[in-house]
C-alpha cells in the first residue's frame, strides 16, 4: 500500500515561511521522482515542484526563487521550504510520485495579508 503523509502546514502572515514534509511508504523511495502540488479553493490542482532521484529540481514559475524542494532518502521524506509566502500561495499542498496516481491527505497552508 502506498502511503503519503504530508505535514507542516499552518497559518502565516504574508512574507513568512513554512517547511512542509511528506513521508512516503510502500514505494522504493530512492528511485522515485517526488512532486509537490497544490489546490486552492475553487481551482484546479497545480504543479509546484519536483525533485528527481539524482537531485535535479524543477519549479513552477509562480514559486521559483521562493520555494525549495529537497529530499532525504534515508528518511523516505521529501520537503518543501516555502519562503516569502503570498496570499495566493494559500492552498492544500499534496505530495506525489511524479508519474504515479497516489496522493496523500494534504496539508493546509493559509497565508493572510
Amino acid at each position: 500500500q502506498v502511503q503519503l503523509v504530508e505535514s507542516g502546514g499552518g497559518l502565516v502572515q504574508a512574507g513568512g515561511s513554512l517547511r512542509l514534509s511528506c513521508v512516503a511508504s510502500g514505494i522504493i523511495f530512492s528511485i522515485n521522482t517526488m512532486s509537490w502540488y497544490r489546490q486552492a479553493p475553487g481551482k484546479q490542482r497545480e504543479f509546484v515542484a519536483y525533485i528527481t532521484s539524482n537531485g535535479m529540481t524543477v519549479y513552477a514559475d509562480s514559486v521559483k526563487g521562493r520555494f525549495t524542494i529537497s529530499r532525504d532518502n534515508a528518511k523516505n521524506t521529501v520537503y518543501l521550504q516555502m519562503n516569502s509566502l503570498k496570499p495566493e500561495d494559500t492552498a492544500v499542498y499534496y505530495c506525489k510520485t511524479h508519474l504515479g496516481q497516489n496522493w496523500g491527505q494534504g496539508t493546509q497552508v493559509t497565508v493572510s495579508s
Side-chain angles (χ1 to χ4, degrees):
Q1 295 181 334
V2 178
Q3 296 279 352
L4 301 166
V5 181
E6 301 94 340
S7 63
L11 175 63
V12 298
Q13 296 281 349
S17 297
L18 287 171
R19 190 185 73 155
L20 308 184
S21 299
C22 172
V23 180
S25 61
I27 63 171
I28 305 175
F29 182 83
S30 62
I31 67 171
N32 272 273
T33 293
M34 298 298 300
S35 302
W36 285 97
Y37 287 74
R38 66 187 183 185
Q39 187 167 27
K43 298 183 179 179
Q44 292 184 302
R45 193 166 298 184
E46 67 173 343
F47 167 78
V48 175
Y50 72 68
I51 182 167
T52 69
S53 60
N54 64 5
M56 296 176 59
T57 57
V58 171
Y59 298 91
D61 287 342
S62 59
V63 307
K64 195 173 298 180
R66 300 187 299 120
F67 291 9
T68 303
I69 188 171
S70 61
R71 67 192 298 158
D72 185 340
N73 288 345
K75 297 181 178 180
N76 283 11
T77 301
V78 61
Y79 304 95
L80 187 68
Q81 178 66 47
M82 309 164 67
N83 298 328
S84 301
L85 283 162
K86 305 174 180 179
E88 51 262 46
D89 295 318
T90 294
V92 178
Y93 284 71
Y94 301 89
C95 68
K96 188 177 73 70
T97 59
H98 191 60
L99 299 178
Q101 298 297 317
N102 297 106
W103 302 90
Q105 296 296 110
T107 186
Q108 176 71 51
V109 172
T110 303
V111 184
S112 61
S113 60

